[in-house]
Amino acid sequence: FQTMLIIPAIDLKDGHCVRLKQGLMADATVFSEDPGAMAKHWVGKGARRLHLVDLNGAFVGKPKNEEAVKAVVKAIGGAVPVQLGGGIRDLDTVERYLDDGIAYIILGTAAVKTPGFLHDACYAFPGHIMVGLDAKDGKVAVEGWSKVTGHDVLDLAKKFQDLGVEAIIYTDISRDGMMNGVNVKATVDLARELSVPVIASGGIADLKDVKALCEAEGEGIAGAITGRAIYEGTLDFAEAQRLADKIAGENVKKMEGEA
């Protein structure tokens, strides 16, 4: 049992740190003008990884917040790995971000639409590529959630796993940014069928959600991304990570007891 990582999200729009409701660009709340300071804040609270999203990039299909991304990497000085998604559609962009000091690149729409690109990325940069799968009722959604496809989440996830992705970030988009609880069942069902780690995202509201995911962690849920809840204060980040560590410790003891 490894500890489930609680991963703070820093969503970038126009160089600021924001949070959207249900992926709507017009419905953005600015939390900080300084993403670098925000990143430092979470690392100071004990974050072991950060999740960055270039929101403008996700909507236009090319990087738009690269300066802010660099500022984050510089601010934390390699203290923890950073994963980044949003508008990454070609190998040059992947390479540039890895050179900038990003540890993991998250591909979304591009991976669904052009599996050849995902294959090439996994081949060129093994261990650095993750895929974000956004789902609504078990079907995959693309393009900043504006389109729901006919693809079944599990089929696609298995395909990506075979290509060599490092992890799958799974978001139930009916719940994202609404803080009404994470879809634990759908997340666990997916993790159970895959050998690569699944990182849960979307809808984490409080310690109850953290506990529910941690208790299912033996199924392969490696982390949980949280945004709005830690900014609006319904979830205390440091407390959430402490809880995850504690449950992992208890699970280990239980396993040793059974062995």
Side-chain angles (χ1 to χ4, degrees):
F1 278 93
Q2 66 196 85
T3 296
M4 187 173 86
L5 296 182
I6 309 297
I7 307 170
I10 298 177
D11 289 356
L12 302 169
K13 180 181 184 224
D14 309 330
H16 302 149
C17 172
V18 304
R19 199 73 191 108
L20 304 186
K21 269 192 184 150
Q22 297 254 295
L24 298 170
M25 283 297 260
D27 204 351
T29 314
V30 174
F31 285 109
S32 166
E33 304 286 328
D34 185 346
M38 191 52 93
K40 244 173 145 158
H41 167 78
W42 294 126
V43 172
K45 292 265 185 214
R48 293 172 209 157
R49 184 182 295 186
L50 296 175
H51 176 79
L52 288 189
V53 183
D54 177 349
L55 291 171
N56 305 92
F59 277 84
V60 298
K62 56 177 187 276
K64 284 289 179 188
N65 281 286
E66 200 166 354
E67 288 314 306
V69 170
K70 283 181 176 165
V72 165
V73 171
K74 191 173 167 201
I76 60 170
V80 302
V82 178
Q83 56 192 47
L84 166 74
I88 301 166
R89 304 276 196 273
D90 58 61
L91 290 177
D92 286 346
T93 307
V94 173
E95 186 167 26
R96 200 166 72 238
Y97 275 134
L98 291 173
D99 286 345
D100 286 345
I102 295 295
Y104 303 105
I105 299 294
I106 304 158
L107 303 178
T109 302
V112 177
K113 290 182 139 178
T114 47
F117 168 50
L118 180 63
H119 171 271
D120 293 347
C122 288
Y123 181 77
F125 309 105
H128 292 286
I129 306 297
M130 296 179 172
V131 170
L133 273 188
D134 301 327
K136 204 167 191 172
D137 308 322
K139 299 289 183 208
V140 176
V142 294
E143 284 179 31
W145 306 349
S146 52
K147 293 186 181 141
V148 175
T149 68
H151 292 291
D152 180 76
V153 168
L154 182 58
D155 293 346
L156 212 50
K158 283 186 164 163
K159 224 176 255 170
F160 293 160
Q161 173 175 287
D162 293 343
L163 289 174
V165 300
E166 186 63 16
I168 286 178
I169 296 173
Y170 177 73
T171 309
D172 182 331
I173 64 175
S174 55
R175 299 177 183 236
D176 183 75
M178 303 307 281
M179 289 178 27
N180 53 3
V182 71
N183 192 335
V184 176
K185 187 187 178 306
T187 309
V188 170
D189 287 349
L190 181 64
R192 199 173 273 153
E193 298 287 333
L194 299 174
S195 57
V196 295
V198 170
I199 295 173
S201 163
I204 292 172
D206 52 31
L207 284 173
K208 207 165 69 235
D209 290 326
V210 173
K211 188 167 185 281
L213 282 170
C214 286
E215 284 172 349
E217 194 211 5
E219 305 292 349
I221 299 168
I225 295 164
T226 175
R228 189 173 278 275
I230 53 173
Y231 290 107
E232 295 191 352
T234 62
L235 181 67
D236 177 314
F237 172 77
E239 201 183 337
Q241 187 62 69
R242 275 198 300 276
L243 176 66
D245 291 346
K246 182 170 160 264
I247 293 173
E250 286 164 4
N251 286 339
V252 169
K253 279 201 189 91
K254 209 158 64 192
M255 293 283 286
E256 285 168 351
E258 285 164 11

